[in-house]
Amino acid sequence: MPDMTSRERIEAAIALKKPDRVPTAPLILQFAGRYGGITGEDYLFDAAKGQAAVEKTFYGLGGWDAWPLFVPIQGMALTMRPIKYRFPGRGLALDASYQVVEEPNMSIEDYDVIANDGYGTFFKRLHGKVYPEYTPEQLGPLRGKLKSEQLENIKRWADRGIPTISGAMTQLPIDDLIQYRSMNELAKDLFRRADKVAKAIEVMTPIVADAGKKGATGSGALGVWLGGLRSNSSFLSMKQFEKFVLPSLVTIVNALVEAGLVVYLHFDQDWTPNLPYLKELPKGRCILATDGTTDLVKAKEILGDRMCLMGDVPATLLTLGTPLEVEDYCRKRIETVGEGGGYILSSGCELPIDSKPENVKAMLESVEKYGR
Amino acid sequence: MAYQARREAALPETLSQLLYDLEEDKVLAEVKERLARNGDPIAIIEECRKGMEVVGKRFEDKEYFITELIMAGEIFGVVMEMVEPAMKGSRASTIGKIVLGTVQGDIHDIGKNIVRTMLKCSGFEVYDLGVDVAPQKFVEKIMEVGSPLVALSALMTTSFNTMKETVEAIAKAGLRDKVKIMVGGGPVNEKVRDYVGADAFGKDVTAAVELSKSFIEVK
């Protein structure tokens, strides 16, 4: 029997089947810039150089089966959301990793703005506050240009047989609020004005689902990225999770799946106690991608017959470990989480910018060694 | 016993209980009332500290999560501000000094801030240098206040090298035998502790407090 194509492998894993070998799809955001030999600033703000660095990284390391998110990531695209960043060459060293500046740009009164005037009105207002340098007239064309570049990149790789999983990026409403308000303020809001937070989430939920649908439908990618960063047991109690996370998670995922899209659940931090709740999500249409904090073996036990699992080579192992240690970690994941299919080997969250290339190679090669 | 159950049993609620049940309004009302009738501010602080200990215990037992720690820390902070004018120069007892900060190049501080709050509640005099702190700043602060403890925080793998440089700067200043160095934060583990040459790694906020106490030999 001939080998499966990369796309067939990824689709088989999502459908909880066993491909000819375990597929692999590291999450490449900033690593490609450094591996490609250009500065972080060029990688994020010069699309042509960024694209060249991505090519160099993919072919230099021997390739893989899919891109979890369209590549390269663009600094400008990050600034389309009302979240402040520090970028390499712009407040940080040229070779640094970009970082979110988490500060309470959203006020307490803004909960009422979301409830009364709508999320769109609030979003525009907050964006104008965080990025006064963009005029409203600039934003439309700029978003259009970024989107068409993303579509070109998705197509470029699809033509070479490498699918992109996420054609649009969304995040759970509570994680958006955490970034707008800051973790510290949002945590207090959950006690002092819980109903206002819940109301805002209710208003945001269908809008987030629509943005995912519009962004990914027809993009050539398999589906939508849905981020869950702090919406789990590392930060929230189960009671808070049930009230502020679960209803919006279920609504958004169902809406995306009904639109024919796969949902890439990019879930950082510790979701282990939250895993049983994910059984509610539609079977064979989600990928749960974790960062090494969630117990992925437990996830296999609880969710193995519901959703594809992805991950989770830890960042510290990729930067400070040895190729043998990485290989050993991957072998164990392939043997346990990969058993019977429904698994994609990947970096836990983003492949760190300072990963040792020999460690990345060891990860990629492990699927051939142990995944057939 | 939870607040509701105690109320039904008609038991009196102590300040410490109100605090660990995160009854913000009731804590503040109680403190206000006690201060109005010249209650001892030190006693108020001690009772709130006891409440914070229970909060820490509940966090360890996974009954409480980060949001509860932040809220409890907030209430404790407001109480401290309220009692301050009544202190008239007297001070709550402290058990030791510690210098804390997120290392150079890294601006993440959620974890660090929670550690700061819990260390303060445990009686430490905390010198928080903030985020993006240069190695030399740590050295200067350790020398200035004579702290036997320093805690370095980081969320990114790229910060491991600056953690290492900070430990080296402390050694170069001749302080390595005089201070215990702890590291913590998202990707930090035993491997990182070994790489940077620190004395200990704390996996979460309760570990950070326990390590700090053990280093200055507080039971």
Side-chain angles (χ1 to χ4, degrees):
Chain A
M1 202 175 69
D3 278 1
M4 289 173 109
T5 64
S6 284
R7 192 182 174 100
E8 286 166 347
R9 264 179 213 130
I10 294 287
E11 285 179 340
I14 295 169
L16 307 175
K17 292 178 188 144
K18 194 172 163 65
D20 63 339
R21 73 152 164 77
V22 169
T24 179
L27 176 59
I28 307 279
L29 299 179
Q30 304 174 90
F31 172 78
R34 188 169 293 187
Y35 185 85
I38 59 174
T39 66
E41 186 182 27
D42 277 349
Y43 181 68
L44 289 168
F45 293 99
D46 185 325
K49 282 187 184 168
Q51 186 54 43
V54 165
E55 302 259 339
K56 194 173 162 188
T57 305
F58 183 85
Y59 293 107
L61 289 168
W64 42 85
D65 293 302
W67 299 102
L69 180 69
F70 46 77
V71 278
I73 182 122
Q74 294 205 49
M76 195 73 84
L78 294 173
T79 66
M80 293 299 108
R81 293 175 62 233
I83 306 223
K84 216 180 257 181
Y85 288 89
R86 273 209 222 165
F87 289 112
R90 303 172 182 198
L92 293 176
L94 276 177
D95 63 346
S97 188
Y98 68 76
Q99 296 177 61
V100 173
V101 181
E102 197 169 295
E103 51 191 20
N105 291 310
M106 173 184 167
S107 69
I108 293 166
E109 291 73 34
D110 282 334
Y111 284 114
D112 294 329
V113 177
I114 295 175
N116 300 329
D117 304 342
Y119 184 43
T121 304
F122 159 78
F123 188 96
K124 275 185 205 137
R125 221 181 274 175
L126 189 67
H127 192 270
K129 185 177 164 190
V130 176
Y131 291 105
E133 60 268 41
Y134 294 124
T135 64
E137 296 74 42
Q138 283 175 316
L139 280 172
L142 198 48
R143 287 204 170 96
K145 179 176 171 279
L146 287 162
K147 184 73 195 170
S148 69
E149 283 172 3
Q150 286 161 6
L151 294 179
E152 268 171 42
N153 287 331
I154 292 169
K155 185 171 183 308
R156 175 181 296 125
W157 288 101
D159 289 347
R160 299 171 189 179
I162 306 299
T164 298
I165 295 172
S166 313
M169 249 185 137
T170 61
Q171 188 165 251
L172 286 167
I174 191 161
D175 281 297
D176 279 330
L177 289 175
I178 288 171
Q179 290 194 310
Y180 302 156
R181 281 285 285 148
S182 83
M183 185 69 226
N184 201 48
E185 294 308 313
L186 194 281
K188 292 184 261 174
D189 292 343
L190 293 182
F191 295 94
R192 287 174 172 163
R193 48 194 71 84
D195 290 345
K196 287 196 183 220
V197 180
K199 179 69 194 170
I201 289 171
E202 193 190 312
V203 172
M204 291 163 77
T205 297
I207 295 167
V208 171
D210 270 356
K213 263 194 274 185
K214 276 196 197 118
T217 304
S219 70
L222 301 176
V224 177
W225 168 304
L226 181 60
L229 309 183
R230 314 236 180 91
S231 33
N232 53 70
S233 82
S234 289
F235 293 88
L236 305 182
S237 69
M238 286 307 132
K239 229 170 99 187
Q240 288 167 337
F241 177 82
E242 285 174 8
K243 185 175 165 91
F244 301 106
V245 181
L246 191 60
S248 57
L249 169 64
V250 171
T251 304
I252 293 168
V253 170
N254 283 338
L256 295 172
V257 169
E258 272 164 31
L261 297 161
V262 166
V263 187
Y264 169 80
L265 302 167
H266 182 86
F267 281 5
D268 286 344
Q269 300 285 340
D270 192 5
W271 286 76
T272 313
N274 308 94
L275 292 172
Y277 294 95
L278 306 186
K279 282 201 257 187
E280 274 190 49
L281 301 179
K283 184 175 175 174
R285 298 300 292 162
C286 296
I287 302 169
L288 175 63
T290 57
D291 71 355
T293 318
T294 297
D295 183 342
L296 206 52
V297 175
K298 199 102 212 199
K300 180 75 174 180
E301 282 167 38
I302 297 172
L303 296 167
D305 61 347
R306 298 297 305 177
M307 63 182 64
C308 176
L309 302 174
M310 182 164 171
D312 64 350
V313 185
T316 303
L317 190 58
L318 288 162
T319 52
L320 293 184
T322 64
L324 269 178
E325 287 172 322
V326 172
E327 181 180 327
D328 190 49
Y329 188 93
C330 294
R331 179 183 55 77
K332 284 181 189 149
R333 281 290 182 254
I334 290 166
E335 284 170 4
T336 53
V337 186
E339 205 205 337
Y343 174 60
I344 301 169
L345 178 73
S346 182
S347 50
C349 195
E350 175 181 4
L351 192 67
I353 191 170
D354 55 346
S355 303
K356 289 183 195 154
E358 60 270 31
N359 285 349
V360 182
K361 268 195 184 145
M363 176 177 87
L364 298 170
E365 284 165 5
S366 70
V367 292
E368 283 297 341
K369 278 191 190 165
Y370 307 105
R372 285 209 184 253
Chain B
M1 195 187 290
Y3 172 68
Q4 199 59 33
R6 254 195 336 266
R7 194 160 62 171
E8 278 159 19
L11 293 173
E13 295 127 22
T14 65
L15 189 53
S16 119
Q17 286 168 333
L18 290 173
L19 192 136
Y20 66 64
D21 282 334
L22 308 177
E23 292 285 340
E24 183 180 21
D25 295 342
K26 291 195 169 65
V27 170
L28 303 188
E30 168 86 8
V31 171
K32 201 173 162 192
E33 202 247 341
R34 278 167 63 168
L35 288 173
R37 52 179 168 82
N38 290 321
D40 177 11
I42 302 284
I44 293 174
I45 294 175
E46 287 309 322
E47 282 173 56
C48 286
R49 273 189 186 164
K50 282 203 186 94
M52 290 300 284
E53 266 173 36
V54 178
V55 169
K57 177 81 175 57
R58 287 186 175 181
F59 177 74
E60 232 181 311
D61 296 343
K62 295 186 165 38
E63 270 180 69
Y64 273 2
F65 297 82
I66 293 288
T67 52
E68 278 97 356
L69 290 190
I70 291 175
M71 191 62 213
E74 168 77 6
I75 302 172
F76 186 81
V78 175
V79 171
M80 292 296 274
E81 276 175 32
M82 287 169 78
V83 299
E84 182 65 37
M87 298 283 281
K88 293 178 189 126
S90 63
R91 290 174 56 186
S93 62
T94 55
I95 58 172
K97 291 175 181 174
I98 181 164
V99 172
L100 169 72
T102 303
V103 298
Q104 192 161 43
D106 200 322
I107 59 169
H108 297 91
D109 65 0
I110 298 170
K112 174 191 70 70
N113 291 348
I114 296 168
V115 167
R116 176 188 61 203
T117 304
M118 295 311 276
L119 283 171
K120 275 188 184 171
C121 295
S122 301
F124 280 91
E125 217 175 311
V126 186
Y127 297 88
D128 183 0
L129 301 179
V131 298
D132 193 13
V133 181
Q136 200 51 34
K137 293 265 176 226
F138 280 104
V139 172
E140 283 163 15
K141 191 49 96 178
I142 294 165
M143 290 172 97
E144 180 197 323
V145 302
S147 171
L149 295 176
V150 58
L152 310 177
S153 174
L155 193 75
M156 307 191 303
T157 55
T158 45
S159 304
F160 299 158
N161 282 326
T162 38
M163 266 186 170
K164 194 174 160 75
E165 285 161 22
T166 308
V167 174
E168 284 163 1
I170 291 169
K172 217 175 150 198
L175 298 167
R176 191 63 192 89
D177 299 338
K178 298 187 182 76
V179 283
K180 293 289 183 191
I181 305 173
M182 298 182 287
V183 290
V188 176
N189 58 21
E190 194 51 36
K191 209 179 191 74
V192 176
R193 184 209 60 75
D194 183 52
Y195 177 74
V196 307
D199 295 303
F201 136 72
K203 74 168 174 43
D204 59 22
V205 58
T206 35
V209 173
E210 286 315 309
L211 280 172
S212 305
K213 284 184 179 171
S214 72
F215 279 134
I216 58 164
E217 288 168 10
V218 176
K219 293 279 171 240

